[in-house]
């Protein structure tokens, strides 16, 4: 049974919303038999919900199929006009698309689905696109894994258990993959959802430092091959520009001597080690962090100009007592940059 939610998990009062959610996720007209399969409802129960939705204009019936109705379109139009996240992220998405010449999407997690809220299309005749309004399970692909990795722990654990079962090796492997994504600050995938598509997804943090969604760059494998590192940097920088969603921003500019240094930017939420790269800097975006005997808060940071020996490394760690979700902007500087040559990962 390919249900979007198990019957026992849907309250009686929520059944009508469950039917509407399934229709929205599928993006096509569905027969009563298909809806029964996806919702787990008995035929009589399903027809009662459909009758209510048709009466209010949320569902249309045609030739034995059911599809979202005109009132659903009005809801979508209202969302486009009122969505704060879309308004805030749109300029950065447009700039990223122009810089990379690839398609860029804005993705959020709703229940166990990753949903595309907005899309900036590439102008190439061969391009990749995550259709606006389309949803996919929080299971495969850069977008789904990125937003899942940055959900609150309880919500993330519930999705993993629902997908893989409690205590299974598959669940543990998925958990470890998500932890690696949180550590890296981005997720990439190749042909996991759509064949021949490479993607990179980076979380967008709201004023509360909770992830509000993610921006994802999508490119055909044939254009992304050999350019992955450069594309990843573009997406990370674009996401940092979108970080102050609804709140004040703390910006910093980094000027490098041309041909001598190149900076790779990440947003990290776990411990990192200053001095582990030839040079670099970091700045606390949220939460409280400890390095040696020093405590740093938002807007504070440190820099280093030479790599320290491993014995001298001290980890910069988030403090568990911090009320805000920890996040730090991390810039690793490496020498010997050559123009138009991607930085190796």
């Amino acid at each position: 049974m390919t249900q979007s939610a198990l019957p026992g998990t849907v309250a009686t009062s929520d059944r009508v919303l469950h039917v509407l959610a399934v229709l929205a996720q599928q993006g096509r007209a569905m027969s009563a038999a298909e809806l029964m399969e996806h919702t787990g409802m008995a035929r009589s129960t399903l027809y009662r919900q459909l009758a209510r939705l048709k009466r209010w204009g949320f569902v249309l019936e045609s030739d034995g199929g059911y599809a979202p109705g005109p009132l659903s379109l009005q809801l979508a139009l209202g969302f486009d006009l009122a969505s704060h996240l879309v308004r805030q992220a749109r300029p950065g998405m447009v700039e990223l698309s122009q810089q990379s010449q690839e398609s860029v999407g804005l993705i959020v997690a709703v229940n166990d689905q990753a949903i595309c809220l907005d899309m900036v299309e590439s102008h190439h005749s061969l391009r990749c696109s995550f259709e606006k309004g389309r949803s996919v399970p929080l299971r495969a692909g850069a977008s789904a894994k990125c937003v899942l990795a940055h959900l609150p722990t309880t919500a993330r654990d519930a999705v993993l258990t629902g997908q893989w079962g409690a205590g299974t090796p598959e669940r543990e492997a998925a958990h470890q993959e998500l932890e690696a994504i949180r550590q890296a600050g981005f997720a990439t995938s190749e042909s996991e959802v759509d064949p021949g598509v490479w993607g990179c997804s980076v979380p967008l943090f709201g004023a509360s430092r909770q992830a509000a969604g993610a921006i994802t760059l999508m490119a055909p494998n044939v254009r992304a091959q050999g350019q992955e590192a450069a594309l990843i940097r573009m997406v990370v920088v674009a996401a940092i520009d979108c970080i102050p969603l609804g709140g004040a921003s703390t910006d910093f500019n980094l000027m490098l001597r041309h041909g001598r240094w190149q900076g790779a930017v990440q947003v990290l939420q776990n411990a990192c080690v200053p001095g582990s790269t030839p040079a670099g800097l970091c700045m606390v975006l949220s939460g409280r962090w400890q390095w040696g005997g020093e405590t740093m808060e938002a807007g504070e940071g440190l820099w280093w100009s030479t790599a320290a020996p491993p014995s001298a490394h001290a980890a910069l760690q988030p403090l568990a007592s911090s009320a805000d979700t920890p996040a730090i902007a991390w810039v690793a500087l490496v020498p010997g940059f050559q123009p138009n040559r991607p930085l190796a990962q």
Side-chain angles (χ1 to χ4, degrees):
M1 182 177 290
T2 57
Q3 296 165 245
S4 62
L6 296 176
T9 66
V10 179
T12 301
S13 59
D14 289 340
R15 286 174 178 169
V16 66
L17 298 177
H18 187 194
V19 174
L20 188 59
V22 168
L23 285 171
Q25 290 165 7
Q26 295 302 307
R28 60 177 177 84
M30 301 179 69
S31 67
E34 288 176 315
L35 284 168
M36 289 169 60
E37 180 182 6
H38 280 76
T39 63
M41 296 181 191
R43 185 178 297 272
S44 59
T45 302
L46 174 65
Y47 280 146
R48 284 198 299 272
Q49 313 312 318
L50 289 171
R52 295 171 65 189
L53 291 169
K54 288 193 295 181
R55 186 166 62 249
W56 281 93
F58 284 104
V59 166
L60 286 178
E61 180 182 6
S62 178
D63 298 327
Y66 300 89
L71 211 59
S72 298
L73 176 60
Q74 288 184 318
L75 280 175
L77 292 173
F79 176 84
D80 284 345
L81 292 173
S83 174
H84 178 66
L85 178 59
V86 172
R87 291 200 313 272
Q88 291 289 331
R90 181 77 183 183
M93 293 170 60
V94 171
E95 183 175 352
L96 175 59
S97 181
Q98 291 173 345
Q99 181 186 18
S100 64
Q101 296 298 299
E102 302 297 350
S103 298
V104 178
L106 174 62
I107 315 298
V108 297
V110 178
N111 297 325
D112 60 349
Q113 299 284 311
I115 300 177
C116 179
L117 295 188
D118 198 12
M119 193 75 202
V120 180
E121 300 280 1
S122 165
H123 295 299
H124 286 293
S125 56
L126 175 62
R127 61 181 181 268
C128 305
S129 178
F130 191 8
E131 187 179 57
K132 183 177 177 180
R134 179 186 174 192
S135 66
V136 296
L138 289 175
R139 185 164 182 157
S143 298
K145 290 178 179 178
C146 184
V147 292
L148 177 58
H150 292 87
L151 284 179
T153 302
T154 301
R156 183 171 69 249
D157 288 346
V159 172
L160 288 175
T161 300
Q163 291 176 346
W164 305 107
T168 63
E170 293 82 3
R171 186 194 186 284
E172 178 59 24
H175 173 75
Q176 293 300 324
E177 183 179 13
L178 297 180
E179 285 300 312
I181 290 170
R182 288 174 63 87
Q183 176 70 35
F186 63 87
T188 61
S189 64
E190 183 174 338
S191 300
E192 288 189 14
V193 177
D194 297 313
V197 176
W198 180 89
C200 175
S201 187
V202 178
L204 296 177
F205 292 94
S208 66
R209 306 311 313 156
Q210 295 290 334
I215 56 172
T216 300
L217 182 147
M218 291 153 269
N221 285 345
V222 293
R223 282 205 301 272
Q225 189 173 11
Q227 300 297 319
E228 293 92 343
L231 293 172
I232 289 170
R233 286 199 300 272
M234 291 180 194
V235 185
V236 170
V237 171
I240 291 175
D241 287 341
C242 294
I243 278 176
L245 293 170
S249 65
T250 303
D251 300 327
F252 67 93
N253 295 315
L254 179 64
M255 299 181 67
L256 303 175
R257 182 175 296 178
H258 182 70
R260 295 289 300 275
W261 295 92
Q262 171 68 9
V265 184
Q266 293 178 289
V267 177
L268 305 180
Q269 294 181 302
N270 296 311
C272 46
V273 183
S276 59
T277 60
L281 59 88
C282 57
M283 186 181 76
V284 175
L285 299 173
S286 65
R288 299 173 67 244
W289 295 68
Q290 187 170 41
W291 184 62
E294 299 182 35
T295 299
M296 293 187 291
E297 299 183 351
E300 299 178 329
L302 52 89
W303 62 273
W304 58 99
S305 58
T306 57
S311 60
H313 290 177
L316 176 61
Q317 299 180 337
L319 294 176
S321 60
S322 175
D324 295 329
T325 300
I328 193 165
W330 175 272
V331 183
L333 300 178
V334 296
F337 172 69
Q338 299 177 20
N340 302 320
R341 178 179 176 185
L343 179 66
Q345 295 295 296

